Amino acid sequence: MAVTDEAIEKIKDMIVSGALRPGDRLPKESELAAELGLSRNSLREAVRALSLIRILDVRQGDGTYVTSLDPQLLLEAMSFVVDFHRDDTVLEFLAVRRILEPAATAMAASRIGEQQLDVLEAQLDALGGAPSVEELVACDLEFHRGIVQSSGNSVLCSLLDGLSGPTTRARIWRGLTQEDAVARTLREHRAILAALRDRDAEAARSWATVHIASVEQWLRSSL
């Protein structure tokens, strides 16, 4: 592993220094191994590892390329890791979401377009006053994703997208067991939307915090 780690570090240095740029094709394996002072086996293992985390793209019959290094692409690896969470870590995921999502919501207040606000309102209207828990949670995911995408920060958007999965089951569980959960969620969504329409970043931040904290508080009392 130490040899493979050294190979990974050397390829990383080439990318960070600009010797290899997004979209560049790596030199032939034999040439790159000689240039870096590595065995071909250790280089091959490094390329395999870096392709798993979307740094490199191995194209059969064509060669190996540096990916676009787009944040959304790179953070797919985090989503993969997040899928292995244990139920007892859900509160920790919610706590991170409570830190990041209100900030993204506040950022969106000055950037979100009227058309996107209309889309969000139409989503809420389509739910009606008494949606099923599954319908509400599906809408909740799309509602918050639409807002976060409007923050203008692709890294923040990708992070929150990856964090939403582990908390989905908790939201469904809450909707099934807490008497006023559905109505309360709908009210909080409307309040967030109203703050965004008013371009009130602090109100949007506050309502997003209340919205996530209410799920966190319920889950903590239920465990």
Side-chain angles (χ1 to χ4, degrees), residues 103-117 146-153 156 196 199 201:
T105 305
M107 289 167 65
S110 62
R111 295 176 171 88
I112 193 166
E114 289 297 327
Q115 185 176 0
Q116 179 61 18
L117 289 168
I147 292 171
V148 172
Q149 285 174 344
S150 298
S151 71
N153 188 311
L156 193 53
L196 291 173
R199 308 295 174 182

Side-chain angles (χ1 to χ4, degrees), residues 83-105:
D83 285 340
F84 289 93
H85 80 281
R86 304 183 313 274
D87 284 348
D88 60 358
T89 63
V90 172
L91 275 170
E92 294 180 11
F93 282 107
L94 277 168
V96 175
R97 188 178 163 219
R98 177 165 47 83
I99 294 167
L100 297 179
E101 193 159 313
T105 305

Side-chain angles (χ1 to χ4, degrees), residues 58-80:
V58 179
R59 305 175 191 174
Q60 292 298 326
D62 186 17
T64 300
Y65 292 79
V66 181
T67 67
S68 66
L69 302 180
D70 182 79
Q72 191 164 1
L73 182 68
L74 298 181
L75 287 167
E76 283 180 10
M78 187 199 76
S79 297
F80 179 79

Side-chain angles (χ1 to χ4, degrees), residues 7 19 34 52 71 79 84 89-90 93 113 119 121 130 140 157 167 182 200 211 218-219:
L52 286 173
S79 297
F84 289 93
T89 63
V90 172
F93 282 107
V119 168
E121 186 161 13
D140 185 71
C157 186
T167 62
V182 172
D200 189 333
H211 181 58
W218 165 83
L219 184 59

Side-chain angles (χ1 to χ4, degrees), residues 1-51:
M1 279 303 296
V3 178
T4 303
D5 288 345
E6 181 188 359
I8 290 172
E9 198 64 31
K10 286 186 174 181
I11 296 173
K12 173 188 164 187
D13 288 344
M14 291 182 73
I15 295 171
V16 172
S17 70
L20 285 172
R21 298 181 179 278
D24 281 357
R25 187 181 187 276
L26 268 65
K28 290 181 180 179
E29 186 181 88
S30 57
E31 294 173 4
L32 185 58
E35 180 185 341
L36 297 178
L38 301 166
S39 72
R40 292 176 69 170
N41 280 339
S42 62
L43 178 60
R44 203 171 294 135
E45 288 299 320
V47 167
R48 185 176 294 115
L50 290 169
S51 68

